[in-house]
Amino acid sequence: MNSSSASSYTLFDHLLELRSRLLNVVVGVLIVFLGLFYFANEIYEYVSKPLMETLPEGGQMIATDVASSFFAPFKLTMVLSIFIAMPFILYQIWAFVAPGLYKNEKRLVIPLMFGSTLLFYSGIAFVYYVVFPIIFAFFTSVAPEGVNIATDITSYLDFVLKLFFAFGVVFEIPIVIILLCWTGFTDPASLRAKRPYVVVGAFVVGMLLTPPDIISQTLLAVPMLLLFELGVFIASIYQKKNESEEA
């Protein structure tokens, strides 16, 4: 702890503080959810738009379960509420750990929280506006002749949520690099030396997360490489600043 008041906290005090922060998170997400629930069907229609625009004439989405027409939009709205409340959630996390941080650590944590939120949203926007139109056009174009494409709304939701989460996490690469360098686990020079392996790894990940065509793989691999370079660049600036302060 960096102060006598913080160090005087007992375990029970920390548990009470943790409970308070968790309750704040639950209430915040619930408020957002209540504001969005009325528009649940419209939200689902918007998320399904990339697929609907690529379906051939006569193609449609179906609900194979009796209650899926209700639960699919409900689930999507709940997940969206968590995504929208992410800045508030991250603030509650920061407020809980802040008393145990030193002053220089606090200066780094706040930009990291803001950057991680922005990058996570950027990953979701990228997969929705860039990746979805390409992969759905590919999937619908390779359907055998005479096959009527009718995607189940629950299966579609599970698929897009997985990609939303995957790309949101992938776009956190700069934050991960900065944290690794900050903790001393690695340094920018070592990461630059491993650049050839990073290039190969980026295209492997692109191959696993996208359809088997070079365009889709490149659409994911190139942003990953750019984010890697951005993380190394920021970590280098932070390292030089620390060295100058120590000198």
Side-chain angles (χ1 to χ4, degrees), residues 7-236:
S7 60
S8 62
Y9 279 16
T10 65
L11 177 60
F12 184 72
D13 293 329
H14 286 296
L15 292 177
L16 288 178
E17 176 71 10
L18 178 61
R19 186 189 67 173
S20 175
R21 297 299 174 184
L22 290 176
L23 286 175
N24 290 341
V25 169
V26 173
V27 172
V29 173
L30 183 60
I31 291 174
V32 177
F33 174 78
L34 293 176
L36 295 177
F37 182 70
Y38 180 79
F39 307 98
N41 289 336
E42 288 78 4
I43 294 172
Y44 190 93
E45 291 173 5
Y46 182 80
V47 173
S48 62
K49 188 177 180 180
L51 175 64
M52 298 300 296
E53 291 180 344
T54 60
L55 288 177
E57 186 176 354
Q60 59 182 347
M61 299 185 72
I62 60 174
T64 57
D65 192 2
V66 175
S68 60
S69 59
F70 170 78
F71 283 112
F74 180 90
K75 178 180 177 180
L76 175 60
T77 305
M78 177 58 70
V79 174
L80 180 62
S81 301
I82 297 174
F83 286 170
I84 293 177
M86 191 60 66
F88 179 73
I89 295 173
L90 291 176
Y91 170 77
Q92 294 299 320
I93 297 174
W94 177 84
F96 178 72
V97 302
L101 299 177
Y102 293 101
K103 186 176 180 180
N104 63 325
E105 293 174 335
K106 290 182 179 179
R107 289 201 304 264
L108 180 63
V109 168
I110 295 177
L112 286 180
M113 290 176 57
F114 175 79
S116 62
T117 303
L118 180 62
L119 288 171
F120 188 79
Y121 288 158
S122 299
I124 293 176
F126 180 80
V127 71
Y128 180 84
Y129 291 105
V130 178
V131 177
F132 280 173
I134 294 176
I135 64 175
F136 292 148
F138 172 81
F139 289 150
T140 55
S141 65
V142 297
E145 186 70 24
V147 174
N148 185 25
I149 301 177
T151 304
D152 177 65
I153 61 174
T154 302
S155 299
Y156 175 79
L157 178 61
D158 292 340
F159 177 81
V160 299
L161 288 181
K162 288 178 183 177
L163 285 186
F164 280 153
F165 183 76
F167 275 77
V169 172
V170 165
F171 270 60
E172 299 292 334
I173 289 177
I175 305 299
V176 174
I177 291 176
I178 294 171
L179 289 175
L180 290 175
C181 295
W182 179 33
T183 57
F185 185 80
T186 185
D187 57 81
S190 299
L191 291 173
R192 291 191 186 97
K194 297 179 176 63
R195 187 177 285 119
Y197 303 100
V198 174
V199 173
V200 175
F203 278 92
V204 170
V205 173
M207 177 184 64
L208 295 176
L209 295 181
T210 60
D213 63 277
I214 190 63
I215 296 177
S216 300
Q217 296 173 17
T218 304
L219 284 174
L220 179 58
V222 171
M224 288 178 63
L225 294 175
L226 294 177
L227 291 168
F228 170 80
E229 296 296 337
L230 175 63
V232 173
F233 175 74
I234 297 176
S236 301

